[in-house]
Amino acid sequence: MKNKTIAKVLNLIVLIGLSLTILSLLAAPLVFTAFAKSGLSLSGAELDYVVNIVIAVIYICAIPYVAALVDLKKVCKLIATGHPFSAKIPKCLKRISIYAASEVVLFNLITIVLFFAYDVYLYAATILPCIIISIVGVSIALLSFVFSKLYEQVVEMKEELDNTI
């Protein structure tokens, strides 16, 4: 009973995270435009510059992030509904690994393109996010890949156990 409650709470947390992500993606252009106009006093070409950065970094990098959240939601739903040994779970974990690795590649490529296209200098404010995103993304990719392989073995052992009895 306790495990089912924990799985349902986890499922709810992932659903809330997915909802907040989608809401923030919808609100991002409005917030950044308002901030750029009022806080930074930007207009014209400068405002276009900020909008291009927002579109490039936020929306392109959000694609694998949202896809990973959707797969995580599938895993939580399978566990919460009483199917913790489903063969779909290792596949979802493997896709999450691919999404995390692609997030690292996308973010760093977009950052490099923005450096050259808009002459952004290499300050700590531009290098530090690249380092942090790379470390976190690679860690998530490796962990989810290892967990997918481990989970594949668990599912195989469960199937063998079910067949022997």
Side-chain angles (χ1 to χ4, degrees):
M1 181 69 178
K2 184 179 179 183
N3 288 339
K4 224 167 179 91
T5 305
I6 292 172
K8 287 183 180 181
V9 168
L10 183 61
N11 192 19
L12 181 66
I13 289 171
V14 172
L15 182 64
I16 291 170
L18 188 59
S19 302
L20 289 176
T21 299
I22 291 171
L23 285 175
S24 64
L25 286 173
L26 292 175
L30 302 173
V31 171
F32 280 110
T33 303
F35 177 72
K37 284 183 178 178
S38 64
L40 299 176
S41 301
L42 298 178
S43 62
E46 296 168 335
L47 185 60
D48 291 339
Y49 171 75
V50 171
V51 170
N52 287 339
I53 290 176
V54 168
I55 289 171
V57 176
I58 293 179
Y59 287 111
I60 293 173
C61 290
I63 294 168
Y65 176 73
V66 171
L69 279 178
V70 168
D71 273 347
L72 185 61
K73 174 79 173 88
K74 290 177 187 176
V75 169
C76 291
K77 185 178 179 182
L78 285 168
I79 293 171
T81 57
H83 299 94
F85 297 106
S86 173
K88 294 177 184 177
I89 293 176
K91 292 177 185 176
C92 288
L93 289 172
K94 210 175 280 183
R95 283 195 306 263
I96 290 172
S97 173
I98 293 168
Y99 296 145
S102 67
E103 182 75 31
V104 171
V105 172
L106 274 175
F107 185 80
N108 288 322
L109 280 176
I110 289 170
T111 304
I112 289 169
V113 167
L114 289 175
F115 287 157
F116 291 115
Y118 291 104
D119 295 328
V120 176
Y121 297 105
L122 299 175
Y123 296 120
T126 56
I127 295 293
L128 197 58
C130 290
I131 293 169
I132 292 171
I133 297 276
S134 296
I135 290 171
V136 170
V138 168
S139 299
I140 291 171
L142 287 174
L143 280 173
S144 61
F145 184 74
V146 168
F147 286 151
S148 74
K149 291 298 181 187
L150 178 68
Y151 216 90
E152 283 176 359
Q153 291 179 354
V154 167
V155 169
E156 286 176 13
M157 289 174 21
K158 172 76 167 122
E159 288 174 357
E160 286 179 18
L161 182 67
D162 289 343
N163 290 337
T164 58
I165 295 178

